[in-house]
Amino acid sequence: MGGVDNGETLQLCVQDNGGGISPERLAQLGKQVVKSERGGGSALYQLTESLNLAFDGHATLTLHSELGAGTQVILQLPKRSKAW
């Protein structure tokens, strides 16, 4: 887990060494509401939509995963030059 200042953007990264996510499911996460055994299955989709609204499409949420090896989530946010 960590953060990196890339000048005009801030990148936050979280990863685990768990079971990973299937490629089929990974392709859906953040792009649509997904079926979930726990919860409503809408959190990543709502987060992506909120980032698009708040940062005018300049923020990204990227998920990388390999079955049996874990998952990495990267959030890239633009820095604001003016006060909120």
Side-chain angles (χ1 to χ4, degrees), residues 13-55:
C13 178
V14 179
Q15 64 185 45
D16 69 23
N17 60 354
I21 303 168
S22 72
E24 298 81 20
R25 186 162 183 84
L26 189 61
Q28 297 173 337
L29 292 176
K31 297 175 181 78
Q32 65 189 56
V33 175
V34 295
K35 194 177 233 182
S36 177
E37 292 179 19
R38 292 181 10 195
S42 63
L44 288 176
Y45 176 70
Q46 288 178 347
L47 176 58
T48 302
E49 291 296 303
S50 295
L51 288 170
N52 284 333
L53 287 171
F55 294 99

